[in-house]
Amino acid sequence: MTESTEGRYRIGVDIGGTFTDGTLVDSATGKVTTSKVLSTPSNPASGFISAVEKLLASDDSVNPEAVEHVVHATTVATNAIIEGKTAKTAFITTEGFRDMLEIARQIRPSLYDLQFEKPAPLVPRQLCFEVPERLDAKGEVVTPLDEKALANVVDQIADSGVEAVAVCLLHSYRNSEHEQRIGKAIAEKLPNVIISLSSDVVPEFREYLRASTTVINSSVAPIVNTYLSSISQKLHAAKVTSELLVMQSSGGVYPAAAASENPVFMVESGPAAGAVAAASLGTALGQPNVISFDMGGTTAKASLIRNGQPNITKDYSVGGAAQSGTGAFGGASGYPIRTPVVDLVEIGAGGGSIAWVDSGGALRVGPHSAGADPGPVCYGLGGEQPTITDANLVLGRLDPAYFAGGEMSLNLDVAREAIRKNCAEPLGLSIEEAAHGIVEIANTAMVNALRLVSVQRGHDPRDFMLVGFGGAGPAHAVRLAEQAGIPRVLIPLGPGTASALGLLVTDVRMEGSATLIVRSDEVELSRISDEFERLETAGREAHQVAASASGDPVFERAIEMRYWGQSFELSVPAPANPTIDQAWMNELTESFHDAHETAYGFRANDEPVELVNLRLTTVGKIARPQMRKLDSTNADASAASKGDRPVYLAENSGDKGVVQTPVYDRSKLPAGAVFNGPAIIEEPDCTTVIHPSWTVTVDDFGNLGIELNN
């Protein structure tokens, strides 16, 4: 490699529950270098810097100072909420609404579950305060802010020793003056306390959802701030002095400074990176409609991408039972957030998911995971409960001597013993049958996730291609496609670290919103124009401050709409015509009818339509690294052969499902190579299992295109 030049390299680091993945891309040549290290749950920053140092050490010619920017996806905010380790936070609201967080919403995630308990509020009641003031729904003052009462509240907060304060007043999305005055009073008295105002974080109607989002922002801000500061220090110590960007839940990135101030936008940072990677790859290969399937060590995540764009939702809860779905705000078991999130389904089915037999004698898999510490039994790090990885090893799908590229040796004997003791004997099965049962049960759960993002969203899975990645994804992707009715599968190059690569193929994105709540036949069109212009002005200002890694801003407009009288809205892209006139409104209304029919199966053309929220995304485009073509174009796969080994596949009727299966070294597979399953394809970060009746074709960039034989 020639001498590095300034701004030539980019680094992406994705911290998962089991592994931390790193990717380094040469912007000039498209060369990709990857690293994978075990995550360090007690101190995630250690795993982060280990992955970076491993990348830099992989090539002596890489100058750390030539790194243009580092992009990071992390679950540190989510983990803080799930584990109940948020910062001590106070909450201020309008007089009479102190119990807003406790009351929450009167809906249940499971209607007939009498044992259901709402999660405890992130702010206990003794730290919830109210001040006399009131605005009406138009933002006009009904009761002035009581400055004396406010001073008393600030004194109480000062004595409580909190690290953060969240402020959410009624109708502050219409008029932020009272919130701004409260924030100023707190800052003067407590300059070191982090303050979040709902009118800044999410200026939209529905007071509880706005309050919940603001409280989450405040309660995780001190933790995220400390974490990102630690990472920045470690990067500087490694002589990487470039800008640190953080993946948002919506699939865009924003600077670490902005992430420290508004961490609620990065709650689902990690899963979003995988969806972005799948969308970018599918678009580059001329397949804009794909289903992203990311299976790591702890969870499996599925997301649907149409026309090259992941679906974005704001109906999401964090910290509760895993659910998905529009309506009821994505479920009621956690803490709702009203920020844009990639619409995905996440389930507890990863390589480290534990298999167990319940009290009724049924074999179960997950949601508990062995994680990175102690990990699956075969890792030999102290794990005692069998996992999906142990089952794949017992079935012959993994090579015990070639795991993580040979850096880790797996113990087949202890994996067999764990499955025998915990699963096979209680069920009266052979070890192989029990292992196969573990894999198939996990597959069934993952197929359901694929159907949730496709069939239940009104899409036919046969019209999509499944992109399988993550450390465990390629071992299951073909079987899942078979069961879900998806005819094409794509396994990208370096699938185990694809999410980290996804961090480097996205743009800087900043969100703005404004609430309207007006019928389309009654709205003044100039009001829509004025609001969008105001949001664009704010977007340009934010872009000038934050987006040094990107080009000039591009604006994406959307309107959240519903039929008049409905409770939930759909997001519809604004018509491309920049002039907002009656033709613009007619096109927008027709787009809403189409979107409603796709989502719910019907349209009501004669019903009046209501415009609820305007949304503006300011996008700073970042140049994409180019995919690198393979040097070898010999169409014969025999050069990559590693021999064969017995593998248990349910489709085979031979010796109890065991068949001698060819094994290939993926790094030696040439472009144009075509071969049929069954087959095993090995590479350092994962193993791909090709089932019978499927054919593999290696494309010019080394991706595996897998199609079902007719």
Side-chain angles (χ1 to χ4, degrees), residues 606-627:
D606 297 331
E607 289 293 326
V609 174
E610 193 171 41
L611 281 65
V612 180
N613 294 314
L614 303 182
R615 303 202 62 80
L616 182 87
T617 303
T618 304
V619 182
K621 296 288 185 179
I622 297 178
R624 304 285 196 269
Q626 297 298 311
M627 288 196 299

Side-chain angles (χ1 to χ4, degrees), residues 16-19 41 295-300 347-356 365-377 379 383-390:
T18 306
F19 288 100
M295 182 180 178
T298 306
T299 59
I347 61 172
S353 293
I354 293 172
W356 51 289
V365 180
H368 304 295
S369 173
D373 183 14
V377 177
Y379 283 13
E384 296 180 353
Q385 301 297 315
T387 66
I388 295 174
T389 296
D390 294 309

